């Protein structure tokens, strides 16, 4: 057991500081975030050119180093060594919260495993402002991020998400939004409510609300620009006891049923069993694989 006291660790040599950056409007940068970037020995960022613009705007002289999806293993090992040698490193992404549909998780995991303090700063991200402005339930929600590109895996994930009881949050790029809305209308049902946010916090910020079929039609007529955050209505349903055909099955038998009878992959079957039984996916995974 290792108990990190974040308040005392902040600014201490050998700390990783997670710093959110604006997703559009530079005024969303916090005073604390600017100060931490100035005091750090190094800023690890996705695109040094993008972060350089931010640093120039706020007069931040700290050196930059590249840390992105394609070099995160090699760069992460080097950053870990610098942290172990006492450097304070600020981790940023191009926009928003590092680690949320952006690089960062692996480096944070390495720091935790090596008992290096990880200090998270609150700040800008796209998911929560989109959620709270959607008009859909906010008491419980399921953040998914970007859908996979592989068609088979994508279909499996959509089938799973369509059964989620709570509000679902997706990210999507402008060149894939039409295809995604079409798929969602088919798998989730045309009447499922959805709110789309694009260009959030920017000059041409827009929120479009309706059902999936209405927004599918909108996407066919609209000139698509900007990154999107989709907030989709959940089923709002809890399985009734009469629908719990699996009650006499063990979790392993339940998963095997979906694999053998429904031709699901083991990953999709585990997710579906977790939904059926109202259990954490990780718990179902462990029960299935640790036998």
């Amino acid at each position: 057991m290792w108990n990190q006291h974040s308040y005392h660790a902040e600014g201490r040599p050998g700390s990783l500081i997670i710093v959110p950056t604006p997703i559009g409007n530079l005024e969303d940068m916090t005073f604390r975030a600017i100060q931490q970037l100035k005091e750090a020995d190094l800023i690890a960022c996705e695109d040094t050119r993008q972060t350089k613009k931010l640093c120039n705007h706020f007069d931040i002289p700290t050196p930059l180093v590249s840390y992105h999806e394609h070099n995160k293993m090699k760069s992460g090992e080097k950053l870990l060594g610098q942290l172990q040698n006492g450097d304070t490193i600020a981790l940023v992404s191009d926009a928003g919260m590092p680690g949320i549909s952006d690089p960062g998780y692996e480096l944070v995991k390495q720091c935790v495993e090596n008992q290096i303090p990880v200090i998270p700063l609150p700040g800008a991200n796209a998911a929560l402002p989109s959620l709270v402005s959607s008009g859909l339930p906010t008491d419980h929600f399921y953040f998914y991020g970007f859908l996979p590109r592989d068609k088979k895996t994508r279909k499996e994930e959509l089938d799973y998400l369509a059964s989620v009881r709570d509000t679902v949050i997706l990210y999507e790029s402008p060149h894939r939004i039409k295809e995604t809305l079409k798929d969602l209308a088919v798998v989730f049902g045309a009447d499922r409510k959805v709110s789309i946010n694009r260009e959030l916090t920017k000059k041409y910020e827009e929120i479009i609300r309706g059902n999936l079929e209405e927004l599918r039609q909108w996407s066919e007529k609209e000139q698509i620009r900007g990154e999107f955050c989709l907030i989709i209505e959940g089923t709002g349903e809890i399985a009734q006891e009469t629908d719990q055909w699996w009650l006499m099955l063990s979790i392993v038998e339940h998963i095997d049923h979906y694999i053998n009878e429904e031709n699901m992959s083991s990953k999709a079957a585990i997710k579906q069993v977790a939904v059926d039984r109202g259990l954490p996916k990780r718990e179902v995974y462990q029960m299935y694989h640790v036998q």
Side-chain angles (χ1 to χ4, degrees):
M1 179 176 175
W2 172 50
N3 184 12
Q4 173 190 314
H5 296 283
S6 296
Y7 178 81
H8 298 292
E10 183 170 333
R12 194 185 82 185
S15 298
L16 179 69
I17 317 294
I18 302 175
V19 183
T21 55
I23 60 175
N25 192 325
L26 288 176
E27 292 184 5
D28 290 334
M29 193 70 170
T30 68
F31 293 116
R32 183 181 173 203
I34 295 169
Q35 189 64 31
Q36 287 297 305
L37 291 179
K38 287 182 176 180
E39 292 179 355
D41 296 300
L42 193 66
I43 299 173
C45 54
E46 278 189 272
D47 186 335
T48 55
R49 296 166 298 181
Q50 185 72 16
T51 303
K52 188 66 176 176
K53 295 176 186 177
L54 181 75
C55 289
N56 288 340
H57 183 84
F58 291 107
D59 296 320
I60 298 168
T62 309
L64 307 178
V65 64
S66 176
Y67 176 80
H68 52 72
E69 186 64 29
H70 303 293
N71 76 349
K72 61 187 178 184
M73 301 312 295
K74 184 176 180 180
S75 181
E77 289 294 334
K78 185 175 180 181
L79 292 171
L80 182 65
Q82 291 175 270
L83 287 161
Q84 290 173 323
N85 287 332
D87 284 347
T88 295
I89 297 177
L91 175 66
V92 302
S93 62
D94 285 347
M97 179 70 74
I100 302 297
S101 293
D102 279 318
Y105 160 73
E106 290 85 358
L107 183 57
V108 171
K109 183 173 182 287
Q110 287 176 302
C111 288
V112 171
E113 289 172 348
N114 288 274
Q115 299 192 3
I116 294 170
V118 178
I119 316 302
L121 271 60
N125 83 329
L128 293 181
S130 298
L131 173 66
V132 298
S133 63
S134 68
L136 295 172
T138 60
D139 49 349
H140 302 287
F141 56 90
Y142 184 103
F143 175 81
Y144 186 88
F146 289 96
L147 289 165
R149 296 188 180 186
D150 174 73
K151 287 186 177 180
K152 183 175 183 295
T153 308
R154 180 184 176 89
K155 177 63 165 58
E156 290 176 349
E157 295 297 278
L158 285 172
D159 286 340
Y160 164 68
L161 291 171
S163 66
V164 172
R165 181 181 65 182
D166 304 312
T167 304
V168 174
I169 304 176
L170 298 178
Y171 286 161
E172 194 51 277
S173 62
H175 66 277
R176 294 176 64 196
I177 188 66
K178 289 183 181 180
E179 177 189 359
T180 294
L181 284 169
K182 182 178 178 181
D183 291 344
L184 287 168
V186 171
V187 179
F188 281 58
D191 292 333
R192 192 81 72 94
K193 293 179 183 177
V194 61
S195 172
I196 290 183
N197 287 251
R198 67 170 175 177
E199 297 292 274
L200 199 64
T201 81
K202 300 175 185 176
K203 182 178 180 180
Y204 297 106
E205 172 182 303
E206 187 174 14
I207 302 176
I208 311 103
R209 303 179 181 91
N211 63 37
L212 282 168
E213 177 57 23
E214 290 170 339
L215 268 72
R216 184 197 66 76
Q217 294 179 15
W218 165 86
S219 71
E220 296 294 334
K221 302 172 185 176
E222 187 74 12
Q223 185 176 5
I224 300 298
R225 294 175 180 170
E227 298 293 325
F228 290 83
C229 184
L230 289 74
I231 312 297
I232 309 166
E233 181 183 29
T235 65
E237 299 173 353
I238 301 176
Q240 299 300 312
E241 188 170 343
T242 54
D243 296 329
Q244 295 176 346
W245 52 267
W246 40 262
L247 280 173
M248 301 304 293
L249 301 179
S250 68
I251 285 181
V252 172
E253 291 170 337
H254 192 172
I255 294 169
D256 285 340
H257 168 85
Y258 282 126
I259 294 172
N260 299 324
E261 302 299 328
E262 306 291 340
N263 295 317
M264 287 186 178
S265 67
S266 61
K267 181 179 179 182
I270 287 168
K271 285 186 175 182
Q272 187 58 54
V273 169
V275 171
D276 289 349
R277 294 175 178 257
L279 295 172
K281 185 176 66 175
R282 183 185 298 273
E283 182 179 325
V284 176
Y285 177 91
Q286 290 174 339
M287 289 181 182
Y288 186 68
H289 286 287
V290 183
Q291 298 179 47

